[in-house]
Structure formats: C-alpha cells, structure tokens
C-alpha cells in the first residue's frame, strides 16, 4: 500500500520520508494528523481514507469509505476530529473520527452550493463552516445545527479562502485575480475592501494572524505578501516559480514561507529579511535613459529622424527604457526576484553581490503537485501529485 523511504542525511534539503501509492485517481486533498503518524485523504476515486503508519513502517488504511460522487476539497480539525468534505455535487459531508482513528461516523450534511465545492474551512472558535463553490457563492453555516447563516455572491469563482478569528474577516481569492475581504457577522456580512495584484487566478491563500499578513499565490506563477495589519497597503511580490502556485503555508516559528507549484517545485522563502516593494512601472514616450523615442511616438521619431524602439521596464527602478539601455539581467532577491530579470544599466551597476544573495531555496518534489499541507508540530510536509501519489517530507533541514 505504501512504502517507507529510508532517509539519507542531506544538508538543507527536504527529506522524503514516505510515499502512499494505492490510489486509482488523483488525491484532491489530504492532511497530516498531528500527534499521530497518520494521513487523511480524499480522492477523485470517491474514497475517504485514513492512513496509519504500522510497525512495518508502511501506511495502511484504517478507514476506507466510499461516497456516491467525487470529493473536491476537505478541512480537518484535529481538536474535535471533525472532517468536513466538499463534494462535486455541491454538498458538504461531515464526519467524526474516533480517538484511535479506526472508525468514522457521519455527522451532518450541508446542501451548501449548486455546483462543485471549491474550498471548505471549519472554524472551531465560531462554530462556523465556511465554503465556496463554482456557483460563485461564499456561504457560512452553523456547524452545530447545520443551518445556513449567510451567503455572499462573488464576481468570479472563488478558489482561495482564509479566515481571521479575531476580526471575523474572511479573505476570498477568486479566478479574476482579485482578493476580497468580508466582515462576517452571525447572519450577515459586509464588504471591507478588494485588492488585485495578480494577472492570473488566485490559486492559494495563506493568512498569518500573528504578523497579520496575507499571502496569495496565482496561476501567473507569482506570490504576493499583503500587509493587512500594518495598514500601509504594502504588497511584496515573490517571483520564484515557473508554474502555477498550488499551495502556501507560513511557518511562523521560523518566519519562513513554504510554497509549491504544479511543476513539482517546493520553495522555502526566508521572510525574516527586510523586503522591498517592486516599483510601479513609469509611463514615457521615450527611453528615460537615452531619450530615444518609442515606436508609437511618431512626432519625436519624425523630428529626430530616428526609428522608434520597443519599450521595456527596469524591474528595480521602474523606469521605461529601451533594449540597449537595459541589456543586463540580475536577480534582486529582496524585491522577490529570485530569477534574473531585466534591469537598466545604471541599476545593474548599483546591485552588489550582497544584494544578489538568495533569500529562498528551491527543491524538486519529482511529481506535479496538485495539493500541499504542512504540519508545524512535526515539521512534515505532504504533497499530492498528478501521479496519484502522496509524498511526506521532513522539512526540518530547511524549515528550522
């Protein structure tokens, strides 16, 4: 059913501990069980499985439950052992797991959405079950009675959801690239604000209540850190992926951000550094370095008898420049650019070797990731891939 990988010590790299391979379809969501050597998984093969590690070192299912339709998402609360599972049909089914994780008892069923459930989130402190669906509705239910308390219609299908217990703010990321903040009450909600920094879909959200910072990942390969608590409107970009960001988790004890993308990369970001906002791109009809006209500036082209040039932008200063004045490339890690980007010649000269020191480490999971879950109490990371395999990683060499 599952193989135990004997780890070999490798400095500063995630260490693969185990693989679980007994799936007929892709695992859409899974969670590591804290204080237990176990995993809960839901899959497109319509099964819920609870995996416990045996003395042999292998994971075997202690619970194997089949439903009439496929699962799209899940939320597990270890304190109450409550498992909330979103379905393709739009309903949410809840189960209570026994203390030894060998039995699962049905609890409530919520008729929450008219289409596939996208995200489900159980909030113990409020006794609320939050969910979003492809019907573009964000809803919250009472987890005791099952009664729907409220709903909010979003402009686009919601693909990311986080909640702050202290302020009762829900953070909703959608397919248009927008993030919406809603203030929830017992039976109503109000729009606080919206902000947009991504050119693609919001695919992942992560809220840290201590820093009061929201991280958003996108299909545009970027991550943005939004300073919600600082009230300064700061938005820091992190560019370190070559494919869609599939998962985010902030390790507050080490001030590191873990991100995964669909090409299989795992990136560990050091957030204990003073990062800088990327500049706004400036508008100009001519190069702000050599004053050569851009190709749409017909008047200057005619007056100077020069051919118009293509416009580019320096990623460090934001100035509009021509290709000749921005022929250099450089990493700018403190601005989030871990890969080399275009910079103007003068900025390139100002960037020191110390400025180029990486603030992230990059690791290959060797499978295309669709879902990730990090358990801070054990320092283990779970990744699920299109290869229908769950991998469990020891992250303590890199998240410490």
């Amino acid at each position: 059913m599952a193989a135990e990988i004997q780890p070999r010590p490798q400095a500063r790299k995630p260490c693969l501990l185990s693989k679980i391979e007994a799936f007929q379809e892709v695992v859409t969501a899974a969670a590591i069980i804290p204080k237990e050597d176990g995993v809960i998984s839901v899959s497109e093969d319509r099964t819920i499985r609870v995996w416990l590690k045996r003395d042999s070192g292998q994971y075997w299912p202690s619970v194997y439950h089949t439903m009439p339709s496929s699962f799209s998402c899940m939320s597990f609360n270890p304190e109450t052992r409550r498992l909330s599972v979103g379905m393709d049909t739009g309903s949410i089914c809840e189960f209570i797991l026994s203390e030894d994780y060998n039995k699962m008892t049905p609890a409530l069923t919520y008729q929450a959405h008219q289409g596939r459930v996208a995200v489900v989130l159980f909030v113990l402190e409020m006794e609320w079950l939050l969910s979003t669906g492809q019907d573009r509705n964000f809803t919250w239910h009472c987890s005791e009675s099952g009664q729907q308390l409220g709903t909010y219609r979003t402009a686009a299908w919601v693909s990311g959801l986080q909640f702050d217990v202290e302020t009762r703010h829900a953070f909703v990321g959608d397919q248009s690239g927008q993030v919406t903040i809603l203030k929830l009450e017992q039976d109503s909600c109000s729009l606080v604000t919206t902000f947009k920094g991504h050119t693609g879909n919001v695919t992942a959200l992560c809220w840290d209540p201590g820093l009061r910072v929201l991280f958003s990942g996108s299909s545009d390969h970027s991550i943005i850190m939004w300073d919600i608590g600082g009230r300064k409107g700061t938005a820091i970009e992190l560019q370190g992926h070559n494919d869609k960001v599939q998962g985010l988790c902030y390790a507050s004890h080490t001030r590191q951000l873990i991100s995964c993308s669909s090409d299989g990369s795992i990136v560990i970001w050091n957030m204990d550094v003073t990062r800088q906002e990327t500049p706004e791109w400036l508008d100009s009809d001519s190069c702000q370095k050599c004053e050569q006209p851009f190709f749409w500036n017909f008047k200057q082209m005619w007056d100077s008898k020069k051919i118009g040039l293509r416009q580019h932008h320096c990623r460090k200063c934001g100035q509009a420049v021509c290709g000749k004045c921005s022929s250099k490339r450089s990493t700018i890690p403190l601005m989030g650019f871990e890969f080399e980007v275009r910079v103007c010649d003068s900025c390139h000269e100002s960037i020191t070797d110390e400025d180029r020191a990486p603030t992230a480490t990059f690791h290959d999971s060797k499978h295309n990731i669709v879902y990730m879950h990090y358990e801070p109490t054990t320092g283990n990371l779970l990744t699920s891939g299109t290869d229908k395999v769950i991998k469990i990683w020891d992250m303590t060499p890199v998240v410490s």
Side-chain angles (χ1 to χ4, degrees), residues 70-299:
S70 296
F71 303 106
S72 53
C73 55
M74 62 167 266
S75 175
F76 176 63
N77 180 262
E79 190 173 335
T80 60
R81 301 186 306 282
R82 183 191 296 257
L83 177 65
S84 309
V85 181
M87 311 286 290
D88 274 356
T89 58
S91 62
I92 299 171
C93 298
E94 281 196 341
F95 303 88
I96 304 297
L97 289 160
S98 62
E99 289 188 29
D100 60 3
Y101 289 95
N102 282 305
K103 183 180 179 182
M104 189 173 71
T105 305
L108 285 172
T109 298
Y110 307 81
Q111 302 303 323
H113 298 278
Q114 297 300 312
R116 177 184 173 97
V117 181
V119 188
V120 61
L121 182 62
F122 173 64
V123 183
L124 176 61
E125 294 85 350
M126 309 301 301
E127 294 184 343
W128 287 351
L129 184 72
L130 315 182
S131 64
T132 67
Q134 288 187 346
D135 58 2
R136 295 191 299 168
N137 283 332
F138 164 64
T139 66
W140 63 107
H141 290 75
C142 173
S143 60
E144 293 299 303
S145 65
Q147 178 183 357
Q148 181 175 304
L149 300 175
T151 185
Y152 180 87
R153 182 77 169 174
T154 57
W157 171 38
V158 172
S159 45
L161 176 63
Q162 290 283 275
F163 185 74
D164 180 53
V165 174
E166 182 182 338
T167 62
R168 296 190 182 184
H169 284 159
F171 304 95
V172 178
D174 64 37
Q175 295 285 292
S176 73
Q178 179 174 280
V179 177
T180 301
I181 303 181
L182 302 171
K183 171 78 170 182
L184 298 193
E185 303 296 345
Q186 190 64 24
D187 56 2
S188 65
C189 76
S190 56
L191 175 64
V192 177
T193 189
T194 60
F195 44 89
K196 185 173 181 178
H198 293 290
T199 58
N201 309 336
V202 175
T203 52
L205 288 180
C206 174
W207 168 249
D208 181 69
L211 287 180
R212 306 206 66 74
V213 163
L214 180 72
F215 298 94
S216 61
S218 171
S219 60
D220 65 10
H221 311 173
S222 72
I223 299 165
I224 300 179
M225 180 179 76
W226 307 90
D227 183 9
I228 305 297
R231 302 185 183 276
K232 296 179 181 178
T234 307
I236 304 294
E237 289 187 42
L238 302 174
Q239 301 281 354
H241 286 283
N242 289 312
D243 211 330
K244 177 171 69 173
V245 178
Q246 293 284 52
L248 296 168
C249 181
Y250 182 70
S252 57
H253 62 295
T254 59
R255 296 176 67 89
Q256 289 172 295
L257 178 72
I258 305 169
S259 61
C260 296
S261 55
S262 54
D263 61 0
S265 66
I266 302 172
V267 183
I268 315 298
W269 305 84
N270 177 15
M271 303 309 295
D272 196 20
V273 294
T274 303
R275 294 188 176 272
Q276 305 165 17
E277 277 192 283
T278 51
E280 293 287 340
W281 284 6
L282 302 177
D283 292 325
S284 180
D285 291 329
S286 58
C287 175
Q288 293 180 297
K289 296 296 182 181
C290 69
E291 299 184 350
Q292 284 263 71
F294 292 132
F295 65 83
W296 62 83
N297 189 352
F298 298 116
K299 185 179 185 305

